[in-house]
Amino acid sequence: MRWTALYVRSRHLAVSLAAVVLCALALPPLLGDNWSTFFATITLGGAIAVAGVGLSGQDIDLDRTASFRWPPRRLAHLLLIGAVAGGVMLAAQGLAELPMQAGWIFRNAAGLLGLTGLAATLFGGQFGWTLPLGWAMTAVFVPSAASQVYDVVAWPMATADSAAAWWTAGLLFVAGTAAYTLAGARR
């Protein structure tokens, strides 16, 4: 069996893909008129969080003894999660009554992806869901205000043109992607 087939099976990528598609395609039509930034944030956070569980295999020691370099594969896996979740979310906007802007989806997918990488690095791949889903859930309950503090703390809920939200998401993306790519998932 080739390493790609083994990798796909050990990381449960088929189940993750099904969960991402279910999160992003099922909720917008079900919510109909109630589709809003609130539900879009939860949906995107859930889609990325579910896929983040597969960022480590069952045996970290076995993974580390492989004869090939892991960093490119880790980076590709993480970016694939973001591309699929963001792409499915973009496709689902045709089903929503109030579609989200493409820039908003891109920014949030990048920031939540960085949080997934940080969670996998700090807590282990099985807990890769904790930071993206936790931040998305927290952001929806932060009282809205027209300030930069709100745009930093609740960046997933901020408008697509908020510079502070873009900076926050960008920093989280760079930090999480670099940490996971270089260090991998915690044991």
Side-chain angles (χ1 to χ4, degrees), residues 25 96 124-125 133 149 153 175 179:
L25 286 180
L133 195 57
V149 173
V153 175

Side-chain angles (χ1 to χ4, degrees), residues 1 3-14 16 53-59 62-63 70 77:
M1 205 178 253
W3 79 266
T4 51
L6 289 172
Y7 186 85
V8 166
R9 286 179 56 195
S10 72
R11 300 298 197 268
H12 307 290
L13 292 182
S16 294
V53 173
L55 289 177
S56 66
Q58 287 83 6
D59 188 355
L62 183 62
D63 285 352
W70 276 106
H77 187 175

Side-chain angles (χ1 to χ4, degrees), residues 34-186:
N34 295 324
W35 183 250
S36 64
T37 307
F38 174 89
F39 289 114
T41 300
I42 300 298
T43 300
L44 187 58
I48 290 177
V50 166
V53 173
L55 289 177
S56 66
Q58 287 83 6
D59 188 355
I60 299 278
D61 292 326
L62 183 62
D63 285 352
R64 294 187 193 277
T65 61
S67 62
F68 49 77
R69 295 174 24 104
W70 276 106
R73 288 163 178 82
R74 288 187 200 125
L75 178 62
H77 187 175
L78 199 60
L79 293 177
L80 184 64
I81 290 172
V84 170
V88 170
M89 192 71 174
L90 277 171
Q93 295 310 299
L95 305 171
E97 296 288 326
L98 301 167
M100 298 295 123
Q101 295 176 349
W104 183 91
I105 292 172
F106 177 76
R107 180 197 69 210
N108 286 1
L112 292 169
L113 190 64
L115 286 170
T116 302
L118 279 174
T121 303
L122 295 174
F123 311 128
Q126 69 274 22
F127 298 110
W129 61 272
T130 55
L131 290 179
L133 195 57
W135 200 315
M137 293 294 291
T138 301
V140 299
F141 293 109
V142 173
S144 62
S147 69
Q148 286 194 341
V149 173
Y150 173 80
D151 287 349
V152 169
V153 175
W155 60 268
M157 296 292 292
T159 60
D161 59 351
S162 168
W166 275 98
W167 275 102
T168 304
L171 289 173
L172 289 172
F173 174 75
V174 168
T177 303
Y180 179 71
T181 299
L182 299 175
R186 182 178 177 195

